[in-house]
Amino acid sequence: MIPQERDPQHVPLVHLLRDGMVEGVHHGSVVVLAPDGSTLFEAGDPDVAMYPRSTAKPLQAAAMARLGLRLDPRGFAIAAASHSGEPRHLEAAAAVLTSYGFAEADLGNPADLPYDPVERDAWIAEGRKPARLAHNCSGKHAAMLAVCREQHWEVEGYLDPTHPLQRAIRETVEDLTGETVPRVATDGCGAPLFALSLRGLARAASRIATASDGSPESLVANGIRQHPDLVAGSRRDVTRLMQTVPGLIAKDGFEAVQLAALPDGIAVALKIADGGDRARPAVLAAALARAGVDAELLVPFSDPALRVTDALAA
């Protein structure tokens, strides 16, 4: 299947309320898949081509595990992370680099300040400058360098879509999603960004979540489950959600994309059309409730000012 490149047909998913009246509307699309890949629920346009942004990192990490990358669970968690730039995140990314003989200067991602506002303010107060290790994608890039070392590939040009590493990652993305990538762009960190659909993204998340022990995909899933604090950060809803829902793997991305998958293979993928994060946790909580997650566990991830529409409500 090749996702179609066209204008997405998003639908209203969330209303912003003020004194009981609708003040704003967030459109988007969402899909919930059963373990066998059948559709439990969908709203909007889950089959149109879209950019998964950083939700693709677990897929990229699975590709690197298939290529022989062997890290401990912390290493795979940071490889699949959009980390907040807390000390533990910088230490985990640096550990991947040093274990393969690389230094921060070898990273191909841009220099940046920590993503977390508290960490960023402290960084600036200390007079520190943007650093490549502080970039939220540094763990992924460290893992990419490590794979090049494992495979005896040239490190120079490792972000080029024609580099053997990126060709192999694309093959795994297509295998896990069951889709042919219709377009390749460049993500904010400089890595190739493969377009796919929300349905394909959910399908891939399910395969990673249910991978058999010892498989490359299971190395990624186990790393995410054991170290959700590394995948996002101590003040991020994605980390708190994984710490709350047993066995859940979840990953957010810029432009309000999200995936989540339960240990039994039920998977969710969503996109908020306006790219803002305000509605994303509420939509994910509603989708997980439709997937059978205890609604009481999801209460902290719902905003009383937001109400899901009839298109999403159970």
mmCIF file of all heavy atoms in Angstrom, residues 216-256:
data_model
loop_
_atom_site.group_PDB
_atom_site.id
_atom_site.type_symbol
_atom_site.label_atom_id
_atom_site.label_comp_id
_atom_site.label_asym_id
_atom_site.label_seq_id
_atom_site.Cartn_x
_atom_site.Cartn_y
_atom_site.Cartn_z
ATOM 1 N N PRO A 216 15.033 -8.227 17.396
ATOM 2 C CA PRO A 216 15.493 -6.834 17.386
ATOM 3 C C PRO A 216 14.427 -5.862 17.894
ATOM 4 O O PRO A 216 14.724 -4.951 18.669
ATOM 5 C CB PRO A 216 15.832 -6.585 15.918
ATOM 6 C CG PRO A 216 16.193 -7.933 15.381
ATOM 7 C CD PRO A 216 15.262 -8.877 16.083
ATOM 8 N N GLU A 217 13.169 -6.085 17.457
ATOM 9 C CA GLU A 217 12.099 -5.182 17.887
ATOM 10 C C GLU A 217 11.878 -5.242 19.391
ATOM 11 O O GLU A 217 11.567 -4.221 20.029
ATOM 12 C CB GLU A 217 10.803 -5.519 17.141
ATOM 13 C CG GLU A 217 10.837 -5.225 15.654
ATOM 14 C CD GLU A 217 11.549 -6.298 14.826
ATOM 15 O OE1 GLU A 217 11.920 -7.356 15.400
ATOM 16 O OE2 GLU A 217 11.737 -6.091 13.629
ATOM 17 N N SER A 218 12.061 -6.409 19.983
ATOM 18 C CA SER A 218 11.844 -6.542 21.423
ATOM 19 C C SER A 218 12.893 -5.768 22.214
ATOM 20 O O SER A 218 12.625 -5.306 23.322
ATOM 21 C CB SER A 218 11.855 -8.010 21.846
ATOM 22 O OG SER A 218 13.171 -8.547 21.852
ATOM 23 N N LEU A 219 14.098 -5.634 21.656
ATOM 24 C CA LEU A 219 15.124 -4.848 22.336
ATOM 25 C C LEU A 219 14.673 -3.399 22.495
ATOM 26 O O LEU A 219 14.907 -2.757 23.522
ATOM 27 C CB LEU A 219 16.436 -4.907 21.556
ATOM 28 C CG LEU A 219 17.074 -6.285 21.389
ATOM 29 C CD1 LEU A 219 18.316 -6.198 20.511
ATOM 30 C CD2 LEU A 219 17.420 -6.887 22.745
ATOM 31 N N VAL A 220 14.005 -2.890 21.471
ATOM 32 C CA VAL A 220 13.495 -1.517 21.513
ATOM 33 C C VAL A 220 12.330 -1.420 22.486
ATOM 34 O O VAL A 220 12.276 -0.522 23.339
ATOM 35 C CB VAL A 220 13.071 -1.058 20.107
ATOM 36 C CG1 VAL A 220 12.483 0.351 20.158
ATOM 37 C CG2 VAL A 220 14.257 -1.117 19.147
ATOM 38 N N ALA A 221 11.373 -2.343 22.376
ATOM 39 C CA ALA A 221 10.204 -2.307 23.255
ATOM 40 C C ALA A 221 10.617 -2.433 24.716
ATOM 41 O O ALA A 221 10.101 -1.705 25.586
ATOM 42 C CB ALA A 221 9.234 -3.425 22.881
ATOM 43 N N ASN A 222 11.547 -3.334 25.006
ATOM 44 C CA ASN A 222 11.983 -3.514 26.390
ATOM 45 C C ASN A 222 12.698 -2.277 26.915
ATOM 46 O O ASN A 222 12.548 -1.906 28.087
ATOM 47 C CB ASN A 222 12.890 -4.740 26.499
ATOM 48 C CG ASN A 222 12.147 -6.041 26.289
ATOM 49 O OD1 ASN A 222 10.925 -6.104 26.450
ATOM 50 N ND2 ASN A 222 12.858 -7.094 25.918
ATOM 51 N N GLY A 223 13.498 -1.652 26.072
ATOM 52 C CA GLY A 223 14.178 -0.435 26.491
ATOM 53 C C GLY A 223 13.196 0.675 26.829
ATOM 54 O O GLY A 223 13.344 1.367 27.849
ATOM 55 N N ILE A 224 12.168 0.830 25.991
ATOM 56 C CA ILE A 224 11.156 1.859 26.232
ATOM 57 C C ILE A 224 10.388 1.565 27.512
ATOM 58 O O ILE A 224 10.154 2.467 28.332
ATOM 59 C CB ILE A 224 10.209 1.948 25.022
ATOM 60 C CG1 ILE A 224 10.952 2.514 23.806
ATOM 61 C CG2 ILE A 224 8.983 2.805 25.350
ATOM 62 C CD1 ILE A 224 10.149 2.470 22.519
ATOM 63 N N ARG A 225 10.008 0.303 27.713
ATOM 64 C CA ARG A 225 9.228 -0.050 28.909
ATOM 65 C C ARG A 225 10.034 0.094 30.191
ATOM 66 O O ARG A 225 9.521 0.518 31.212
ATOM 67 C CB ARG A 225 8.698 -1.479 28.774
ATOM 68 C CG ARG A 225 7.608 -1.644 27.735
ATOM 69 C CD ARG A 225 7.073 -3.062 27.704
ATOM 70 N NE ARG A 225 6.013 -3.202 26.713
ATOM 71 C CZ ARG A 225 6.028 -4.049 25.704
ATOM 72 N NH1 ARG A 225 7.064 -4.865 25.537
ATOM 73 N NH2 ARG A 225 5.022 -4.104 24.845
ATOM 74 N N GLN A 226 11.304 -0.269 30.131
ATOM 75 C CA GLN A 226 12.128 -0.210 31.334
ATOM 76 C C GLN A 226 12.574 1.210 31.676
ATOM 77 O O GLN A 226 12.824 1.510 32.838
ATOM 78 C CB GLN A 226 13.351 -1.110 31.171
ATOM 79 C CG GLN A 226 13.028 -2.598 31.143
ATOM 80 C CD GLN A 226 14.279 -3.447 30.995
ATOM 81 O OE1 GLN A 226 15.332 -3.132 31.540
ATOM 82 N NE2 GLN A 226 14.173 -4.534 30.238
ATOM 83 N N HIS A 227 12.665 2.073 30.656
ATOM 84 C CA HIS A 227 13.189 3.417 30.893
ATOM 85 C C HIS A 227 12.326 4.487 30.226
ATOM 86 O O HIS A 227 12.823 5.267 29.389
ATOM 87 C CB HIS A 227 14.630 3.509 30.397
ATOM 88 C CG HIS A 227 15.565 2.581 31.102
ATOM 89 N ND1 HIS A 227 16.050 2.828 32.377
ATOM 90 C CD2 HIS A 227 16.070 1.386 30.720
ATOM 91 C CE1 HIS A 227 16.832 1.837 32.740
ATOM 92 N NE2 HIS A 227 16.870 0.946 31.768
ATOM 93 N N PRO A 228 11.046 4.566 30.587
ATOM 94 C CA PRO A 228 10.198 5.615 29.999
ATOM 95 C C PRO A 228 10.685 7.013 30.338
ATOM 96 O O PRO A 228 10.379 7.970 29.620
ATOM 97 C CB PRO A 228 8.820 5.334 30.606
ATOM 98 C CG PRO A 228 9.101 4.590 31.869
ATOM 99 C CD PRO A 228 10.306 3.750 31.567
ATOM 100 N N ASP A 229 11.456 7.136 31.426
ATOM 101 C CA ASP A 229 12.003 8.441 31.810
ATOM 102 C C ASP A 229 13.022 8.945 30.804
ATOM 103 O O ASP A 229 13.237 10.158 30.674
ATOM 104 C CB ASP A 229 12.646 8.353 33.191
ATOM 105 C CG ASP A 229 13.746 7.298 33.252
ATOM 106 O OD1 ASP A 229 13.514 6.167 32.764
ATOM 107 O OD2 ASP A 229 14.832 7.598 33.790
ATOM 108 N N LEU A 230 13.650 8.018 30.060
ATOM 109 C CA LEU A 230 14.620 8.419 29.051
ATOM 110 C C LEU A 230 13.964 8.736 27.714
ATOM 111 O O LEU A 230 14.512 9.512 26.923
ATOM 112 C CB LEU A 230 15.666 7.314 28.845
ATOM 113 C CG LEU A 230 16.583 6.997 30.025
ATOM 114 C CD1 LEU A 230 17.568 5.901 29.649
ATOM 115 C CD2 LEU A 230 17.325 8.240 30.490
ATOM 116 N N VAL A 231 12.809 8.166 27.450
ATOM 117 C CA VAL A 231 12.153 8.328 26.151
ATOM 118 C C VAL A 231 11.622 9.745 25.970
ATOM 119 O O VAL A 231 11.576 10.270 24.858
ATOM 120 C CB VAL A 231 11.026 7.292 25.985
ATOM 121 C CG1 VAL A 231 10.275 7.492 24.673
ATOM 122 C CG2 VAL A 231 11.602 5.882 26.051
ATOM 123 N N ALA A 232 11.214 10.392 27.062
ATOM 124 C CA ALA A 232 10.732 11.770 27.004
ATOM 125 C C ALA A 232 11.397 12.558 28.130
ATOM 126 O O ALA A 232 12.484 13.070 27.967
ATOM 127 C CB ALA A 232 9.210 11.818 27.088
ATOM 128 N N GLY A 233 10.733 12.617 29.310
ATOM 129 C CA GLY A 233 11.340 13.344 30.416
ATOM 130 C C GLY A 233 10.446 13.382 31.628
ATOM 131 O O GLY A 233 9.257 13.045 31.555
ATOM 132 N N SER A 234 11.002 13.781 32.746
ATOM 133 C CA SER A 234 10.278 13.721 34.023
ATOM 134 C C SER A 234 9.074 14.648 34.070
ATOM 135 O O SER A 234 8.170 14.439 34.879
ATOM 136 C CB SER A 234 11.236 14.059 35.174
ATOM 137 O OG SER A 234 11.739 15.373 35.047
ATOM 138 N N ARG A 235 9.048 15.669 33.208
ATOM 139 C CA ARG A 235 7.912 16.589 33.198
ATOM 140 C C ARG A 235 7.083 16.455 31.928
ATOM 141 O O ARG A 235 6.342 17.373 31.574
ATOM 142 C CB ARG A 235 8.434 18.025 33.366
ATOM 143 C CG ARG A 235 8.894 18.341 34.776
ATOM 144 C CD ARG A 235 9.545 19.707 34.889
ATOM 145 N NE ARG A 235 10.914 19.694 34.419
ATOM 146 C CZ ARG A 235 11.979 19.448 35.207
ATOM 147 N NH1 ARG A 235 11.801 19.216 36.493
ATOM 148 N NH2 ARG A 235 13.202 19.455 34.721
ATOM 149 N N ARG A 236 7.155 15.302 31.278
ATOM 150 C CA ARG A 236 6.454 15.087 30.005
ATOM 151 C C ARG A 236 5.316 14.097 30.183
ATOM 152 O O ARG A 236 5.458 13.076 30.873
ATOM 153 C CB ARG A 236 7.441 14.573 28.956
ATOM 154 C CG ARG A 236 8.612 15.529 28.683
ATOM 155 C CD ARG A 236 8.384 16.398 27.503
ATOM 156 N NE ARG A 236 8.356 15.613 26.279
ATOM 157 C CZ ARG A 236 9.441 15.176 25.625
ATOM 158 N NH1 ARG A 236 10.651 15.413 26.097
ATOM 159 N NH2 ARG A 236 9.316 14.498 24.504
ATOM 160 N N ASP A 237 4.189 14.368 29.507
ATOM 161 C CA ASP A 237 3.023 13.500 29.647
ATOM 162 C C ASP A 237 3.273 12.101 29.098
ATOM 163 O O ASP A 237 2.723 11.126 29.600
ATOM 164 C CB ASP A 237 1.802 14.120 28.948
ATOM 165 C CG ASP A 237 1.995 14.269 27.437
ATOM 166 O OD1 ASP A 237 2.543 15.302 27.009
ATOM 167 O OD2 ASP A 237 1.577 13.370 26.686
ATOM 168 N N VAL A 238 4.143 11.978 28.097
ATOM 169 C CA VAL A 238 4.397 10.669 27.489
ATOM 170 C C VAL A 238 5.061 9.734 28.498
ATOM 171 O O VAL A 238 4.686 8.562 28.625
ATOM 172 C CB VAL A 238 5.264 10.812 26.229
ATOM 173 C CG1 VAL A 238 5.524 9.451 25.607
ATOM 174 C CG2 VAL A 238 4.601 11.727 25.234
ATOM 175 N N THR A 239 6.037 10.257 29.221
ATOM 176 C CA THR A 239 6.690 9.446 30.251
ATOM 177 C C THR A 239 5.708 9.077 31.346
ATOM 178 O O THR A 239 5.648 7.916 31.782
ATOM 179 C CB THR A 239 7.891 10.213 30.831
ATOM 180 O OG1 THR A 239 8.950 10.197 29.865
ATOM 181 C CG2 THR A 239 8.401 9.564 32.112
ATOM 182 N N ARG A 240 4.930 10.034 31.826
ATOM 183 C CA ARG A 240 3.967 9.749 32.900
ATOM 184 C C ARG A 240 2.945 8.716 32.462
ATOM 185 O O ARG A 240 2.547 7.845 33.245
ATOM 186 C CB ARG A 240 3.258 11.032 33.338
ATOM 187 C CG ARG A 240 4.180 12.058 33.987
ATOM 188 C CD ARG A 240 3.380 13.109 34.736
ATOM 189 N NE ARG A 240 2.382 13.759 33.892
ATOM 190 C CZ ARG A 240 2.634 14.831 33.150
ATOM 191 N NH1 ARG A 240 3.844 15.378 33.142
ATOM 192 N NH2 ARG A 240 1.675 15.367 32.417
ATOM 193 N N LEU A 241 2.524 8.783 31.195
ATOM 194 C CA LEU A 241 1.543 7.823 30.699
ATOM 195 C C LEU A 241 2.109 6.409 30.713
ATOM 196 O O LEU A 241 1.437 5.458 31.136
ATOM 197 C CB LEU A 241 1.109 8.204 29.286
ATOM 198 C CG LEU A 241 0.023 7.331 28.648
ATOM 199 C CD1 LEU A 241 -1.292 7.498 29.389
ATOM 200 C CD2 LEU A 241 -0.150 7.678 27.172
ATOM 201 N N MET A 242 3.349 6.244 30.259
ATOM 202 C CA MET A 242 3.948 4.911 30.256
ATOM 203 C C MET A 242 4.189 4.402 31.670
ATOM 204 O O MET A 242 4.152 3.188 31.914
ATOM 205 C CB MET A 242 5.248 4.921 29.451
ATOM 206 C CG MET A 242 5.032 5.037 27.953
ATOM 207 S SD MET A 242 6.543 4.739 26.976
ATOM 208 C CE MET A 242 7.381 6.308 27.198
ATOM 209 N N GLN A 243 4.432 5.304 32.607
ATOM 210 C CA GLN A 243 4.591 4.901 34.000
ATOM 211 C C GLN A 243 3.257 4.550 34.644
ATOM 212 O O GLN A 243 3.231 3.873 35.668
ATOM 213 C CB GLN A 243 5.273 6.030 34.781
ATOM 214 C CG GLN A 243 6.722 6.254 34.388
ATOM 215 C CD GLN A 243 7.310 7.530 34.974
ATOM 216 O OE1 GLN A 243 6.581 8.465 35.314
ATOM 217 N NE2 GLN A 243 8.625 7.578 35.098
ATOM 218 N N THR A 244 2.160 4.978 34.029
ATOM 219 C CA THR A 244 0.818 4.758 34.585
ATOM 220 C C THR A 244 0.139 3.527 34.014
ATOM 221 O O THR A 244 -0.502 2.768 34.754
ATOM 222 C CB THR A 244 -0.064 6.000 34.322
ATOM 223 O OG1 THR A 244 0.517 7.141 34.946
ATOM 224 C CG2 THR A 244 -1.474 5.794 34.858
ATOM 225 N N VAL A 245 0.258 3.321 32.710
ATOM 226 C CA VAL A 245 -0.434 2.214 32.033
ATOM 227 C C VAL A 245 0.552 1.056 31.875
ATOM 228 O O VAL A 245 1.536 1.169 31.133
ATOM 229 C CB VAL A 245 -0.970 2.649 30.661
ATOM 230 C CG1 VAL A 245 -1.675 1.478 29.971
ATOM 231 C CG2 VAL A 245 -1.925 3.832 30.810
ATOM 232 N N PRO A 246 0.332 -0.066 32.543
ATOM 233 C CA PRO A 246 1.295 -1.176 32.526
ATOM 234 C C PRO A 246 1.611 -1.666 31.112
ATOM 235 O O PRO A 246 0.705 -1.948 30.325
ATOM 236 C CB PRO A 246 0.591 -2.264 33.338
ATOM 237 C CG PRO A 246 -0.344 -1.519 34.244
ATOM 238 C CD PRO A 246 -0.831 -0.351 33.426
ATOM 239 N N GLY A 247 2.897 -1.741 30.802
ATOM 240 C CA GLY A 247 3.347 -2.327 29.546
ATOM 241 C C GLY A 247 3.190 -1.452 28.321
ATOM 242 O O GLY A 247 3.559 -1.878 27.215
ATOM 243 N N LEU A 248 2.668 -0.254 28.472
ATOM 244 C CA LEU A 248 2.440 0.612 27.318
ATOM 245 C C LEU A 248 3.762 1.130 26.775
ATOM 246 O O LEU A 248 4.666 1.495 27.527
ATOM 247 C CB LEU A 248 1.562 1.801 27.728
ATOM 248 C CG LEU A 248 1.163 2.759 26.598
ATOM 249 C CD1 LEU A 248 0.059 2.143 25.752
ATOM 250 C CD2 LEU A 248 0.714 4.116 27.162
ATOM 251 N N ILE A 249 3.876 1.162 25.444
ATOM 252 C CA ILE A 249 4.939 1.928 24.816
ATOM 253 C C ILE A 249 4.278 3.099 24.100
ATOM 254 O O ILE A 249 3.211 2.959 23.501
ATOM 255 C CB ILE A 249 5.800 1.085 23.845
ATOM 256 C CG1 ILE A 249 4.988 0.586 22.654
ATOM 257 C CG2 ILE A 249 6.447 -0.079 24.565
ATOM 258 C CD1 ILE A 249 5.854 -0.052 21.571
ATOM 259 N N ALA A 250 4.893 4.264 24.176
ATOM 260 C CA ALA A 250 4.301 5.457 23.583
ATOM 261 C C ALA A 250 5.410 6.384 23.124
ATOM 262 O O ALA A 250 6.499 6.421 23.693
ATOM 263 C CB ALA A 250 3.399 6.175 24.583
ATOM 264 N N LYS A 251 5.123 7.139 22.085
ATOM 265 C CA LYS A 251 6.091 8.101 21.554
ATOM 266 C C LYS A 251 5.341 9.251 20.918
ATOM 267 O O LYS A 251 4.431 9.044 20.106
ATOM 268 C CB LYS A 251 6.987 7.423 20.511
ATOM 269 C CG LYS A 251 8.084 8.331 19.984
ATOM 270 C CD LYS A 251 9.142 8.576 21.033
ATOM 271 C CE LYS A 251 10.133 9.654 20.597
ATOM 272 N NZ LYS A 251 9.539 11.003 20.576
ATOM 273 N N ASP A 252 5.729 10.464 21.284
ATOM 274 C CA ASP A 252 5.149 11.649 20.674
ATOM 275 C C ASP A 252 6.106 12.209 19.633
ATOM 276 O O ASP A 252 7.268 11.810 19.559
ATOM 277 C CB ASP A 252 4.846 12.714 21.735
ATOM 278 C CG ASP A 252 6.095 13.129 22.512
ATOM 279 O OD1 ASP A 252 7.081 12.354 22.518
ATOM 280 O OD2 ASP A 252 6.083 14.211 23.116
ATOM 281 N N GLY A 253 5.603 13.147 18.834
ATOM 282 C CA GLY A 253 6.428 13.800 17.832
ATOM 283 C C GLY A 253 5.939 15.212 17.595
ATOM 284 O O GLY A 253 4.785 15.540 17.907
ATOM 285 N N PHE A 254 6.813 16.050 17.051
ATOM 286 C CA PHE A 254 6.399 17.405 16.715
ATOM 287 C C PHE A 254 5.217 17.375 15.755
ATOM 288 O O PHE A 254 4.971 16.381 15.058
ATOM 289 C CB PHE A 254 7.556 18.183 16.095
ATOM 290 C CG PHE A 254 8.556 18.679 17.116
ATOM 291 C CD1 PHE A 254 9.883 18.870 16.760
ATOM 292 C CD2 PHE A 254 8.196 18.962 18.420
ATOM 293 C CE1 PHE A 254 10.819 19.333 17.669
ATOM 294 C CE2 PHE A 254 9.115 19.432 19.352
ATOM 295 C CZ PHE A 254 10.427 19.618 18.974
ATOM 296 N N GLU A 255 4.504 18.484 15.706
ATOM 297 C CA GLU A 255 3.281 18.631 14.919
ATOM 298 C C GLU A 255 2.180 17.708 15.422
ATOM 299 O O GLU A 255 1.304 17.289 14.673
ATOM 300 C CB GLU A 255 3.539 18.424 13.429
ATOM 301 C CG GLU A 255 4.462 19.472 12.826
ATOM 302 C CD GLU A 255 3.961 20.909 13.002
ATOM 303 O OE1 GLU A 255 2.749 21.137 12.828
ATOM 304 O OE2 GLU A 255 4.782 21.784 13.331
ATOM 305 N N ALA A 256 2.246 17.398 16.738
ATOM 306 C CA ALA A 256 1.160 16.705 17.442
ATOM 307 C C ALA A 256 0.822 15.351 16.843
ATOM 308 O O ALA A 256 -0.347 15.027 16.604
ATOM 309 C CB ALA A 256 -0.087 17.592 17.504
#
